Amino acid sequence: MIAPSILSADFAYLAAAADSVEGADWLHVDVMDAHFVPNLTIGPPVVKNLHQATDLPLDCHLMIDDPDRWAAEYAEIGAANVTFHVEAARDAVQTARGIRAGGALAGLSVKPGTPLEPYLEILHEFDTLLVMTVEPGFGGQMFMAEVLPKVRLAREHVRSGHLRLFIEVDGGVSADTIEAAAAAGADVFVAGSAVFGADDPGRAVEALRTQARAAMNV
Ligand code: DX5
Ligand code: ZN
């Protein structure tokens, strides 16, 4: 699946941005609180209105402190997938259950420096694992290929039947990097600047999907 990130779109025209990528699978929505990351974006009111303005499933990536308190609300207002950071959560399992109870898929995200091994045993409580391939906070950064062993590890657990999960990569995904991520075992690809920085965002989505499909190893 390709999930264009609206972080790289024009925030005054979010509905138009969604329309420009109508062939995408998910629309990735970066929620930042200026505490967990040094950047500030949008919160529930905008997500709610965006959900009303597009048919695309919303993939909310919460880069916020205290996700235990806030995550379920994003499910209730219509997000299709709600991902929060394990580094910020106090009780990741309870938070995942709250998201699922609200009607969304639950996602767990790990920053580049956060190992996956300690969390393998709770991943069955989740539908999505988001492996950050940049430090969270800003679009347009360089893809960190050194993070791909975590994607491979997660893919091995899925392949061996221990887990059922979407494996999502986020940060620096472009025509130059998507094949490496797909070959490592990712099956959801977030792309901000590579989509909304293109002359034709819709065509950029199709091109990324074609590349990922050809390189995929799931
Ligand atoms: C960064 C965000 C990403 C960002 C990706 O913290 O989580 O979703 O939009 O942007 P690009 O694709 O430009 O790296
Ligand atoms: Zn993101």
PDB file of all heavy atoms in Angstrom, residues 31-70:
ATOM      1  N   VAL A  31       0.465  13.638  13.172  1.00  0.00           N
ATOM      2  CA  VAL A  31       0.002  14.454  14.296  1.00  0.00           C
ATOM      3  C   VAL A  31       1.190  14.700  15.221  1.00  0.00           C
ATOM      4  O   VAL A  31       1.768  13.756  15.763  1.00  0.00           O
ATOM      5  CB  VAL A  31      -1.134  13.722  15.053  1.00  0.00           C
ATOM      6  CG1 VAL A  31      -1.512  14.482  16.325  1.00  0.00           C
ATOM      7  CG2 VAL A  31      -2.349  13.531  14.143  1.00  0.00           C
ATOM      8  N   MET A  32       1.587  15.956  15.367  1.00  0.00           N
ATOM      9  CA  MET A  32       2.781  16.303  16.168  1.00  0.00           C
ATOM     10  C   MET A  32       2.407  17.358  17.204  1.00  0.00           C
ATOM     11  O   MET A  32       1.654  18.288  16.895  1.00  0.00           O
ATOM     12  CB  MET A  32       3.874  16.865  15.260  1.00  0.00           C
ATOM     13  CG  MET A  32       4.262  15.948  14.114  1.00  0.00           C
ATOM     14  SD  MET A  32       5.662  16.650  13.219  1.00  0.00           S
ATOM     15  CE  MET A  32       5.809  15.481  11.867  1.00  0.00           C
ATOM     16  N   ASP A  33       2.978  17.209  18.399  1.00  0.00           N
ATOM     17  CA  ASP A  33       2.532  18.041  19.530  1.00  0.00           C
ATOM     18  C   ASP A  33       3.565  19.037  20.036  1.00  0.00           C
ATOM     19  O   ASP A  33       3.347  19.677  21.074  1.00  0.00           O
ATOM     20  CB  ASP A  33       2.094  17.136  20.691  1.00  0.00           C
ATOM     21  CG  ASP A  33       3.258  16.362  21.302  1.00  0.00           C
ATOM     22  OD1 ASP A  33       4.369  16.365  20.717  1.00  0.00           O
ATOM     23  OD2 ASP A  33       3.060  15.752  22.372  1.00  0.00           O
ATOM     24  N   ALA A  34       4.713  19.140  19.362  1.00  0.00           N
ATOM     25  CA  ALA A  34       5.794  20.032  19.807  1.00  0.00           C
ATOM     26  C   ALA A  34       6.399  19.613  21.149  1.00  0.00           C
ATOM     27  O   ALA A  34       7.120  20.400  21.775  1.00  0.00           O
ATOM     28  CB  ALA A  34       5.357  21.504  19.849  1.00  0.00           C
ATOM     29  N   HIS A  35       6.088  18.406  21.602  1.00  0.00           N
ATOM     30  CA  HIS A  35       6.729  17.863  22.799  1.00  0.00           C
ATOM     31  C   HIS A  35       7.472  16.578  22.474  1.00  0.00           C
ATOM     32  O   HIS A  35       8.672  16.477  22.699  1.00  0.00           O
ATOM     33  CB  HIS A  35       5.692  17.618  23.903  1.00  0.00           C
ATOM     34  CG  HIS A  35       5.162  18.885  24.472  1.00  0.00           C
ATOM     35  ND1 HIS A  35       5.749  19.510  25.549  1.00  0.00           N
ATOM     36  CD2 HIS A  35       4.121  19.664  24.099  1.00  0.00           C
ATOM     37  CE1 HIS A  35       5.085  20.633  25.816  1.00  0.00           C
ATOM     38  NE2 HIS A  35       4.094  20.751  24.955  1.00  0.00           N
ATOM     39  N   PHE A  36       6.744  15.613  21.935  1.00  0.00           N
ATOM     40  CA  PHE A  36       7.407  14.358  21.545  1.00  0.00           C
ATOM     41  C   PHE A  36       8.376  14.605  20.395  1.00  0.00           C
ATOM     42  O   PHE A  36       9.408  13.951  20.296  1.00  0.00           O
ATOM     43  CB  PHE A  36       6.357  13.302  21.158  1.00  0.00           C
ATOM     44  CG  PHE A  36       6.968  11.977  20.799  1.00  0.00           C
ATOM     45  CD1 PHE A  36       7.542  11.171  21.774  1.00  0.00           C
ATOM     46  CD2 PHE A  36       6.997  11.545  19.478  1.00  0.00           C
ATOM     47  CE1 PHE A  36       8.144   9.956  21.445  1.00  0.00           C
ATOM     48  CE2 PHE A  36       7.592  10.330  19.144  1.00  0.00           C
ATOM     49  CZ  PHE A  36       8.159   9.538  20.122  1.00  0.00           C
ATOM     50  N   VAL A  37       8.005  15.530  19.515  1.00  0.00           N
ATOM     51  CA  VAL A  37       8.885  15.955  18.412  1.00  0.00           C
ATOM     52  C   VAL A  37       8.904  17.486  18.377  1.00  0.00           C
ATOM     53  O   VAL A  37       7.950  18.121  18.835  1.00  0.00           O
ATOM     54  CB  VAL A  37       8.397  15.420  17.038  1.00  0.00           C
ATOM     55  CG1 VAL A  37       8.621  13.918  16.923  1.00  0.00           C
ATOM     56  CG2 VAL A  37       6.934  15.770  16.793  1.00  0.00           C
ATOM     57  N   PRO A  38       9.974  18.074  17.840  1.00  0.00           N
ATOM     58  CA  PRO A  38      10.051  19.543  17.819  1.00  0.00           C
ATOM     59  C   PRO A  38       9.311  20.157  16.631  1.00  0.00           C
ATOM     60  O   PRO A  38       9.856  20.942  15.874  1.00  0.00           O
ATOM     61  CB  PRO A  38      11.562  19.793  17.726  1.00  0.00           C
ATOM     62  CG  PRO A  38      12.090  18.598  16.994  1.00  0.00           C
ATOM     63  CD  PRO A  38      11.217  17.438  17.373  1.00  0.00           C
ATOM     64  N   ASN A  39       8.049  19.792  16.484  1.00  0.00           N
ATOM     65  CA  ASN A  39       7.241  20.334  15.390  1.00  0.00           C
ATOM     66  C   ASN A  39       5.781  20.188  15.822  1.00  0.00           C
ATOM     67  O   ASN A  39       5.442  19.347  16.671  1.00  0.00           O
ATOM     68  CB  ASN A  39       7.504  19.551  14.096  1.00  0.00           C
ATOM     69  CG  ASN A  39       7.010  20.274  12.848  1.00  0.00           C
ATOM     70  OD1 ASN A  39       6.487  21.387  12.927  1.00  0.00           O
ATOM     71  ND2 ASN A  39       7.168  19.640  11.710  1.00  0.00           N
ATOM     72  N   LEU A  40       4.933  21.000  15.240  1.00  0.00           N
ATOM     73  CA  LEU A  40       3.526  21.059  15.641  1.00  0.00           C
ATOM     74  C   LEU A  40       2.669  21.024  14.380  1.00  0.00           C
ATOM     75  O   LEU A  40       2.915  21.785  13.441  1.00  0.00           O
ATOM     76  CB  LEU A  40       3.302  22.374  16.394  1.00  0.00           C
ATOM     77  CG  LEU A  40       1.921  22.681  16.955  1.00  0.00           C
ATOM     78  CD1 LEU A  40       1.560  21.689  18.058  1.00  0.00           C
ATOM     79  CD2 LEU A  40       1.896  24.102  17.519  1.00  0.00           C
ATOM     80  N   THR A  41       1.701  20.118  14.349  1.00  0.00           N
ATOM     81  CA  THR A  41       0.853  20.064  13.145  1.00  0.00           C
ATOM     82  C   THR A  41      -0.618  20.221  13.491  1.00  0.00           C
ATOM     83  O   THR A  41      -1.069  21.323  13.789  1.00  0.00           O
ATOM     84  CB  THR A  41       1.118  18.767  12.337  1.00  0.00           C
ATOM     85  OG1 THR A  41       0.911  17.635  13.181  1.00  0.00           O
ATOM     86  CG2 THR A  41       2.525  18.750  11.761  1.00  0.00           C
ATOM     87  N   ILE A  42      -1.343  19.126  13.448  1.00  0.00           N
ATOM     88  CA  ILE A  42      -2.803  19.208  13.584  1.00  0.00           C
ATOM     89  C   ILE A  42      -3.283  18.221  14.635  1.00  0.00           C
ATOM     90  O   ILE A  42      -2.536  17.357  15.074  1.00  0.00           O
ATOM     91  CB  ILE A  42      -3.495  18.891  12.242  1.00  0.00           C
ATOM     92  CG1 ILE A  42      -3.088  17.494  11.769  1.00  0.00           C
ATOM     93  CG2 ILE A  42      -3.175  19.960  11.210  1.00  0.00           C
ATOM     94  CD1 ILE A  42      -3.875  16.993  10.581  1.00  0.00           C
ATOM     95  N   GLY A  43      -4.552  18.360  15.013  1.00  0.00           N
ATOM     96  CA  GLY A  43      -5.142  17.477  16.007  1.00  0.00           C
ATOM     97  C   GLY A  43      -6.517  17.015  15.578  1.00  0.00           C
ATOM     98  O   GLY A  43      -6.886  17.120  14.398  1.00  0.00           O
ATOM     99  N   PRO A  44      -7.301  16.531  16.527  1.00  0.00           N
ATOM    100  CA  PRO A  44      -8.588  15.908  16.197  1.00  0.00           C
ATOM    101  C   PRO A  44      -9.542  16.739  15.337  1.00  0.00           C
ATOM    102  O   PRO A  44     -10.165  16.162  14.428  1.00  0.00           O
ATOM    103  CB  PRO A  44      -9.185  15.604  17.584  1.00  0.00           C
ATOM    104  CG  PRO A  44      -7.989  15.388  18.449  1.00  0.00           C
ATOM    105  CD  PRO A  44      -6.952  16.370  17.953  1.00  0.00           C
ATOM    106  N   PRO A  45      -9.707  18.037  15.536  1.00  0.00           N
ATOM    107  CA  PRO A  45     -10.698  18.744  14.700  1.00  0.00           C
ATOM    108  C   PRO A  45     -10.375  18.664  13.208  1.00  0.00           C
ATOM    109  O   PRO A  45     -11.276  18.478  12.383  1.00  0.00           O
ATOM    110  CB  PRO A  45     -10.629  20.194  15.200  1.00  0.00           C
ATOM    111  CG  PRO A  45     -10.036  20.112  16.560  1.00  0.00           C
ATOM    112  CD  PRO A  45      -9.102  18.934  16.536  1.00  0.00           C
ATOM    113  N   VAL A  46      -9.098  18.806  12.880  1.00  0.00           N
ATOM    114  CA  VAL A  46      -8.709  18.773  11.469  1.00  0.00           C
ATOM    115  C   VAL A  46      -8.840  17.347  10.922  1.00  0.00           C
ATOM    116  O   VAL A  46      -9.297  17.138   9.797  1.00  0.00           O
ATOM    117  CB  VAL A  46      -7.283  19.323  11.277  1.00  0.00           C
ATOM    118  CG1 VAL A  46      -6.874  19.249   9.813  1.00  0.00           C
ATOM    119  CG2 VAL A  46      -7.199  20.761  11.766  1.00  0.00           C
ATOM    120  N   VAL A  47      -8.442  16.373  11.728  1.00  0.00           N
ATOM    121  CA  VAL A  47      -8.561  14.978  11.280  1.00  0.00           C
ATOM    122  C   VAL A  47     -10.027  14.638  11.018  1.00  0.00           C
ATOM    123  O   VAL A  47     -10.371  14.012  10.009  1.00  0.00           O
ATOM    124  CB  VAL A  47      -7.956  14.015  12.334  1.00  0.00           C
ATOM    125  CG1 VAL A  47      -8.255  12.565  11.982  1.00  0.00           C
ATOM    126  CG2 VAL A  47      -6.435  14.244  12.439  1.00  0.00           C
ATOM    127  N   LYS A  48     -10.882  15.101  11.900  1.00  0.00           N
ATOM    128  CA  LYS A  48     -12.328  14.829  11.748  1.00  0.00           C
ATOM    129  C   LYS A  48     -12.872  15.447  10.449  1.00  0.00           C
ATOM    130  O   LYS A  48     -13.576  14.792   9.672  1.00  0.00           O
ATOM    131  CB  LYS A  48     -13.055  15.417  12.952  1.00  0.00           C
ATOM    132  CG  LYS A  48     -14.498  15.026  13.062  1.00  0.00           C
ATOM    133  CD  LYS A  48     -15.068  15.560  14.369  1.00  0.00           C
ATOM    134  CE  LYS A  48     -16.556  15.294  14.423  1.00  0.00           C
ATOM    135  NZ  LYS A  48     -17.148  15.908  15.614  1.00  0.00           N
ATOM    136  N   ASN A  49     -12.514  16.665  10.197  1.00  0.00           N
ATOM    137  CA  ASN A  49     -12.993  17.327   8.976  1.00  0.00           C
ATOM    138  C   ASN A  49     -12.379  16.711   7.723  1.00  0.00           C
ATOM    139  O   ASN A  49     -13.043  16.585   6.685  1.00  0.00           O
ATOM    140  CB  ASN A  49     -12.697  18.825   9.014  1.00  0.00           C
ATOM    141  CG  ASN A  49     -13.579  19.559  10.012  1.00  0.00           C
ATOM    142  OD1 ASN A  49     -13.201  20.588  10.536  1.00  0.00           O
ATOM    143  ND2 ASN A  49     -14.765  19.030  10.309  1.00  0.00           N
ATOM    144  N   LEU A  50     -11.129  16.311   7.824  1.00  0.00           N
ATOM    145  CA  LEU A  50     -10.478  15.678   6.667  1.00  0.00           C
ATOM    146  C   LEU A  50     -11.162  14.349   6.351  1.00  0.00           C
ATOM    147  O   LEU A  50     -11.374  14.011   5.177  1.00  0.00           O
ATOM    148  CB  LEU A  50      -8.992  15.469   6.976  1.00  0.00           C
ATOM    149  CG  LEU A  50      -8.107  14.974   5.827  1.00  0.00           C
ATOM    150  CD1 LEU A  50      -8.157  15.917   4.630  1.00  0.00           C
ATOM    151  CD2 LEU A  50      -6.666  14.800   6.313  1.00  0.00           C
ATOM    152  N   HIS A  51     -11.517  13.620   7.383  1.00  0.00           N
ATOM    153  CA  HIS A  51     -12.236  12.348   7.187  1.00  0.00           C
ATOM    154  C   HIS A  51     -13.565  12.583   6.457  1.00  0.00           C
ATOM    155  O   HIS A  51     -13.969  11.793   5.604  1.00  0.00           O
ATOM    156  CB  HIS A  51     -12.470  11.702   8.553  1.00  0.00           C
ATOM    157  CG  HIS A  51     -13.315  10.469   8.519  1.00  0.00           C
ATOM    158  ND1 HIS A  51     -13.027   9.378   7.718  1.00  0.00           N
ATOM    159  CD2 HIS A  51     -14.456  10.135   9.175  1.00  0.00           C
ATOM    160  CE1 HIS A  51     -13.946   8.444   7.888  1.00  0.00           C
ATOM    161  NE2 HIS A  51     -14.824   8.882   8.772  1.00  0.00           N
ATOM    162  N   GLN A  52     -14.208  13.700   6.774  1.00  0.00           N
ATOM    163  CA  GLN A  52     -15.480  14.017   6.098  1.00  0.00           C
ATOM    164  C   GLN A  52     -15.249  14.455   4.652  1.00  0.00           C
ATOM    165  O   GLN A  52     -16.136  14.348   3.815  1.00  0.00           O
ATOM    166  CB  GLN A  52     -16.219  15.125   6.874  1.00  0.00           C
ATOM    167  CG  GLN A  52     -16.758  14.632   8.206  1.00  0.00           C
ATOM    168  CD  GLN A  52     -17.033  15.754   9.206  1.00  0.00           C
ATOM    169  OE1 GLN A  52     -16.631  16.908   9.010  1.00  0.00           O
ATOM    170  NE2 GLN A  52     -17.707  15.408  10.296  1.00  0.00           N
ATOM    171  N   ALA A  53     -14.044  14.909   4.358  1.00  0.00           N
ATOM    172  CA  ALA A  53     -13.763  15.495   3.046  1.00  0.00           C
ATOM    173  C   ALA A  53     -13.160  14.510   2.051  1.00  0.00           C
ATOM    174  O   ALA A  53     -13.004  14.847   0.881  1.00  0.00           O
ATOM    175  CB  ALA A  53     -12.816  16.688   3.213  1.00  0.00           C
ATOM    176  N   THR A  54     -12.790  13.305   2.510  1.00  0.00           N
ATOM    177  CA  THR A  54     -12.158  12.347   1.588  1.00  0.00           C
ATOM    178  C   THR A  54     -12.644  10.935   1.872  1.00  0.00           C
ATOM    179  O   THR A  54     -12.995  10.612   3.006  1.00  0.00           O
ATOM    180  CB  THR A  54     -10.615  12.385   1.709  1.00  0.00           C
ATOM    181  OG1 THR A  54     -10.056  11.421   0.805  1.00  0.00           O
ATOM    182  CG2 THR A  54     -10.126  12.093   3.103  1.00  0.00           C
ATOM    183  N   ASP A  55     -12.629  10.117   0.821  1.00  0.00           N
ATOM    184  CA  ASP A  55     -12.947   8.690   0.989  1.00  0.00           C
ATOM    185  C   ASP A  55     -11.709   7.883   1.353  1.00  0.00           C
ATOM    186  O   ASP A  55     -11.811   6.704   1.681  1.00  0.00           O
ATOM    187  CB  ASP A  55     -13.529   8.122  -0.321  1.00  0.00           C
ATOM    188  CG  ASP A  55     -14.902   8.695  -0.607  1.00  0.00           C
ATOM    189  OD1 ASP A  55     -15.597   9.076   0.357  1.00  0.00           O
ATOM    190  OD2 ASP A  55     -15.273   8.778  -1.801  1.00  0.00           O
ATOM    191  N   LEU A  56     -10.536   8.491   1.270  1.00  0.00           N
ATOM    192  CA  LEU A  56      -9.318   7.727   1.577  1.00  0.00           C
ATOM    193  C   LEU A  56      -9.278   7.379   3.066  1.00  0.00           C
ATOM    194  O   LEU A  56      -9.565   8.229   3.920  1.00  0.00           O
ATOM    195  CB  LEU A  56      -8.074   8.553   1.235  1.00  0.00           C
ATOM    196  CG  LEU A  56      -7.729   8.678  -0.237  1.00  0.00           C
ATOM    197  CD1 LEU A  56      -6.578   9.677  -0.420  1.00  0.00           C
ATOM    198  CD2 LEU A  56      -7.348   7.327  -0.818  1.00  0.00           C
ATOM    199  N   PRO A  57      -8.898   6.150   3.398  1.00  0.00           N
ATOM    200  CA  PRO A  57      -8.729   5.790   4.807  1.00  0.00           C
ATOM    201  C   PRO A  57      -7.594   6.601   5.424  1.00  0.00           C
ATOM    202  O   PRO A  57      -6.526   6.729   4.817  1.00  0.00           O
ATOM    203  CB  PRO A  57      -8.370   4.294   4.755  1.00  0.00           C
ATOM    204  CG  PRO A  57      -8.764   3.817   3.392  1.00  0.00           C
ATOM    205  CD  PRO A  57      -8.644   5.013   2.486  1.00  0.00           C
ATOM    206  N   LEU A  58      -7.827   7.146   6.592  1.00  0.00           N
ATOM    207  CA  LEU A  58      -6.796   7.979   7.236  1.00  0.00           C
ATOM    208  C   LEU A  58      -5.898   7.135   8.134  1.00  0.00           C
ATOM    209  O   LEU A  58      -6.375   6.379   8.990  1.00  0.00           O
ATOM    210  CB  LEU A  58      -7.442   9.105   8.061  1.00  0.00           C
ATOM    211  CG  LEU A  58      -8.324  10.082   7.281  1.00  0.00           C
ATOM    212  CD1 LEU A  58      -8.780  11.217   8.200  1.00  0.00           C
ATOM    213  CD2 LEU A  58      -7.615  10.639   6.044  1.00  0.00           C
ATOM    214  N   ASP A  59      -4.601   7.297   7.915  1.00  0.00           N
ATOM    215  CA  ASP A  59      -3.562   6.588   8.658  1.00  0.00           C
ATOM    216  C   ASP A  59      -2.917   7.617   9.584  1.00  0.00           C
ATOM    217  O   ASP A  59      -2.032   8.360   9.170  1.00  0.00           O
ATOM    218  CB  ASP A  59      -2.550   6.032   7.636  1.00  0.00           C
ATOM    219  CG  ASP A  59      -1.328   5.397   8.286  1.00  0.00           C
ATOM    220  OD1 ASP A  59      -1.449   4.883   9.404  1.00  0.00           O
ATOM    221  OD2 ASP A  59      -0.258   5.407   7.626  1.00  0.00           O
ATOM    222  N   CYS A  60      -3.397   7.694  10.821  1.00  0.00           N
ATOM    223  CA  CYS A  60      -2.917   8.735  11.741  1.00  0.00           C
ATOM    224  C   CYS A  60      -1.679   8.264  12.486  1.00  0.00           C
ATOM    225  O   CYS A  60      -1.705   7.240  13.167  1.00  0.00           O
ATOM    226  CB  CYS A  60      -4.011   9.112  12.739  1.00  0.00           C
ATOM    227  SG  CYS A  60      -5.344  10.029  11.965  1.00  0.00           S
ATOM    228  N   HIS A  61      -0.620   9.012  12.345  1.00  0.00           N
ATOM    229  CA  HIS A  61       0.661   8.717  12.979  1.00  0.00           C
ATOM    230  C   HIS A  61       0.856   9.735  14.096  1.00  0.00           C
ATOM    231  O   HIS A  61       1.170  10.896  13.834  1.00  0.00           O
ATOM    232  CB  HIS A  61       1.759   8.809  11.901  1.00  0.00           C
ATOM    233  CG  HIS A  61       3.149   8.625  12.429  1.00  0.00           C
ATOM    234  ND1 HIS A  61       4.266   8.951  11.682  1.00  0.00           N
ATOM    235  CD2 HIS A  61       3.616   8.144  13.605  1.00  0.00           C
ATOM    236  CE1 HIS A  61       5.357   8.680  12.392  1.00  0.00           C
ATOM    237  NE2 HIS A  61       4.984   8.199  13.566  1.00  0.00           N
ATOM    238  N   LEU A  62       0.636   9.282  15.320  1.00  0.00           N
ATOM    239  CA  LEU A  62       0.687  10.193  16.463  1.00  0.00           C
ATOM    240  C   LEU A  62       2.112  10.312  16.978  1.00  0.00           C
ATOM    241  O   LEU A  62       2.655   9.367  17.553  1.00  0.00           O
ATOM    242  CB  LEU A  62      -0.220   9.692  17.585  1.00  0.00           C
ATOM    243  CG  LEU A  62      -1.676   9.363  17.219  1.00  0.00           C
ATOM    244  CD1 LEU A  62      -2.460   9.008  18.489  1.00  0.00           C
ATOM    245  CD2 LEU A  62      -2.345  10.508  16.480  1.00  0.00           C
ATOM    246  N   MET A  63       2.712  11.468  16.764  1.00  0.00           N
ATOM    247  CA  MET A  63       4.026  11.750  17.342  1.00  0.00           C
ATOM    248  C   MET A  63       3.780  12.717  18.490  1.00  0.00           C
ATOM    249  O   MET A  63       4.051  13.917  18.394  1.00  0.00           O
ATOM    250  CB  MET A  63       4.949  12.346  16.261  1.00  0.00           C
ATOM    251  CG  MET A  63       5.445  11.281  15.291  1.00  0.00           C
ATOM    252  SD  MET A  63       6.019  11.975  13.741  1.00  0.00           S
ATOM    253  CE  MET A  63       4.456  12.119  12.894  1.00  0.00           C
ATOM    254  N   ILE A  64       3.228  12.160  19.554  1.00  0.00           N
ATOM    255  CA  ILE A  64       2.773  12.978  20.686  1.00  0.00           C
ATOM    256  C   ILE A  64       3.135  12.284  21.995  1.00  0.00           C
ATOM    257  O   ILE A  64       3.254  11.055  22.054  1.00  0.00           O
ATOM    258  CB  ILE A  64       1.232  13.192  20.653  1.00  0.00           C
ATOM    259  CG1 ILE A  64       0.463  11.857  20.746  1.00  0.00           C
ATOM    260  CG2 ILE A  64       0.829  13.950  19.397  1.00  0.00           C
ATOM    261  CD1 ILE A  64      -1.047  12.005  20.887  1.00  0.00           C
ATOM    262  N   ASP A  65       3.303  13.106  23.036  1.00  0.00           N
ATOM    263  CA  ASP A  65       3.404  12.569  24.385  1.00  0.00           C
ATOM    264  C   ASP A  65       2.033  12.075  24.823  1.00  0.00           C
ATOM    265  O   ASP A  65       1.000  12.536  24.314  1.00  0.00           O
ATOM    266  CB  ASP A  65       3.863  13.672  25.354  1.00  0.00           C
ATOM    267  CG  ASP A  65       5.376  13.873  25.317  1.00  0.00           C
ATOM    268  OD1 ASP A  65       6.078  13.042  24.708  1.00  0.00           O
ATOM    269  OD2 ASP A  65       5.846  14.882  25.896  1.00  0.00           O
ATOM    270  N   ASP A  66       2.050  11.163  25.764  1.00  0.00           N
ATOM    271  CA  ASP A  66       0.834  10.662  26.394  1.00  0.00           C
ATOM    272  C   ASP A  66      -0.205  10.116  25.383  1.00  0.00           C
ATOM    273  O   ASP A  66      -1.384  10.475  25.446  1.00  0.00           O
ATOM    274  CB  ASP A  66       0.187  11.766  27.247  1.00  0.00           C
ATOM    275  CG  ASP A  66      -0.712  11.193  28.341  1.00  0.00           C
ATOM    276  OD1 ASP A  66      -0.746   9.954  28.509  1.00  0.00           O
ATOM    277  OD2 ASP A  66      -1.395  11.992  29.003  1.00  0.00           O
ATOM    278  N   PRO A  67       0.231   9.270  24.447  1.00  0.00           N
ATOM    279  CA  PRO A  67      -0.732   8.702  23.499  1.00  0.00           C
ATOM    280  C   PRO A  67      -1.799   7.864  24.208  1.00  0.00           C
ATOM    281  O   PRO A  67      -2.919   7.717  23.684  1.00  0.00           O
ATOM    282  CB  PRO A  67       0.130   7.834  22.575  1.00  0.00           C
ATOM    283  CG  PRO A  67       1.330   7.487  23.392  1.00  0.00           C
ATOM    284  CD  PRO A  67       1.579   8.700  24.244  1.00  0.00           C
ATOM    285  N   ASP A  68      -1.470   7.356  25.401  1.00  0.00           N
ATOM    286  CA  ASP A  68      -2.446   6.566  26.154  1.00  0.00           C
ATOM    287  C   ASP A  68      -3.744   7.358  26.342  1.00  0.00           C
ATOM    288  O   ASP A  68      -4.832   6.812  26.347  1.00  0.00           O
ATOM    289  CB  ASP A  68      -1.871   6.202  27.539  1.00  0.00           C
ATOM    290  CG  ASP A  68      -0.475   5.610  27.423  1.00  0.00           C
ATOM    291  OD1 ASP A  68       0.472   6.383  27.108  1.00  0.00           O
ATOM    292  OD2 ASP A  68      -0.307   4.408  27.610  1.00  0.00           O
ATOM    293  N   ARG A  69      -3.579   8.667  26.502  1.00  0.00           N
ATOM    294  CA  ARG A  69      -4.740   9.511  26.748  1.00  0.00           C
ATOM    295  C   ARG A  69      -5.474   9.881  25.462  1.00  0.00           C
ATOM    296  O   ARG A  69      -6.692  10.056  25.458  1.00  0.00           O
ATOM    297  CB  ARG A  69      -4.278  10.780  27.469  1.00  0.00           C
ATOM    298  CG  ARG A  69      -5.385  11.754  27.697  1.00  0.00           C
ATOM    299  CD  ARG A  69      -4.917  12.907  28.546  1.00  0.00           C
ATOM    300  NE  ARG A  69      -5.911  13.972  28.563  1.00  0.00           N
ATOM    301  CZ  ARG A  69      -5.669  15.212  28.951  1.00  0.00           C
ATOM    302  NH1 ARG A  69      -4.454  15.533  29.372  1.00  0.00           N
ATOM    303  NH2 ARG A  69      -6.611  16.115  28.928  1.00  0.00           N
ATOM    304  N   TRP A  70      -4.778  10.024  24.358  1.00  0.00           N
ATOM    305  CA  TRP A  70      -5.364  10.634  23.165  1.00  0.00           C
ATOM    306  C   TRP A  70      -5.684   9.676  22.024  1.00  0.00           C
ATOM    307  O   TRP A  70      -6.495  10.002  21.152  1.00  0.00           O
ATOM    308  CB  TRP A  70      -4.412  11.711  22.620  1.00  0.00           C
ATOM    309  CG  TRP A  70      -4.113  12.789  23.599  1.00  0.00           C
ATOM    310  CD1 TRP A  70      -2.940  12.987  24.269  1.00  0.00           C
ATOM    311  CD2 TRP A  70      -5.012  13.812  24.046  1.00  0.00           C
ATOM    312  NE1 TRP A  70      -3.041  14.074  25.094  1.00  0.00           N
ATOM    313  CE2 TRP A  70      -4.307  14.603  24.977  1.00  0.00           C
ATOM    314  CE3 TRP A  70      -6.346  14.138  23.747  1.00  0.00           C
ATOM    315  CZ2 TRP A  70      -4.884  15.693  25.616  1.00  0.00           C
ATOM    316  CZ3 TRP A  70      -6.913  15.224  24.375  1.00  0.00           C
ATOM    317  CH2 TRP A  70      -6.193  15.979  25.295  1.00  0.00           C
TER     318      TRP A  70
END
